[in-house]
Amino acid sequence: MEPHLHRQGSTVPVSCHQRESCVINTPLGKSWEIFRHMKFEVIAPSKVKATSFTSGKEGELGAILRVDYADGARWELRISEISELRHSIGYEVISTEPAHSVTSI
C-alpha cells in the first residue's frame, strides 16, 4: 500500500512568476532606453528617489540594482533577463527594507 501523502499549503502568499505590462504613450526607442537602463527615477520621480548598481553593472545579467524609494524604502533587484527583441526586463526582488511578509513580489 502507498503511504498517505499529505501536502501542507503555505501560510505565506507565494507566486513563482509575475508578469506586468502597460502601454506608455511615447516612442518605443525613448521609453526602452529608460527601462533598459533601469532608470526608475526618470519614469516615476515622485516614487523613486534613485537607482544604483551595487554589484555588476548596467546591462549585465546577475547585476544587483538598489532602488531607493521616496518614502525611504529600499529594494535590491537581481537582473535575470534583458531582451532587446521583446523589449522586456526580468528581475527578482532579493531584499526589501522594510521587510515584506511575502516570498515573492
Side-chain angles (χ1 to χ4, degrees):
M1 283 186 106
E2 295 271 331
H4 179 66
L5 299 177
H6 177 71
R7 181 179 173 138
Q8 181 176 341
S10 174
T11 59
V12 179
V14 177
S15 173
C16 294
H17 298 292
Q18 180 176 334
R19 183 179 300 240
E20 294 186 27
S21 66
C22 66
V23 175
I24 300 172
N25 191 16
T26 188
L28 177 61
K30 182 178 180 181
S31 59
W32 176 239
E33 281 302 305
I34 296 168
F35 279 104
R36 184 174 80 124
H37 298 292
M38 308 295 281
K39 299 295 184 188
F40 298 146
E41 66 273 19
V42 174
I43 299 164
S46 65
K47 302 289 183 191
V48 177
K49 182 178 174 183
T51 56
S52 59
F53 285 90
T54 61
S55 174
K57 60 185 179 190
E58 190 176 285
E60 182 178 290
L61 296 181
I64 307 296
L65 176 73
R66 186 175 85 189
V67 181
D68 293 306
Y69 289 92
D71 66 0
R74 178 178 288 163
W75 290 19
E76 285 190 322
L77 314 175
R78 188 183 71 78
I79 309 304
S80 58
E81 176 185 3
I82 302 171
S83 174
E84 294 286 339
L85 180 63
R86 293 184 314 218
H87 298 101
S88 65
I89 298 170
Y91 60 86
E92 61 182 317
V93 178
I94 59 173
S95 71
T96 64
E97 292 178 27
H100 282 276
S101 61
V102 296
T103 58
S104 62
I105 298 174

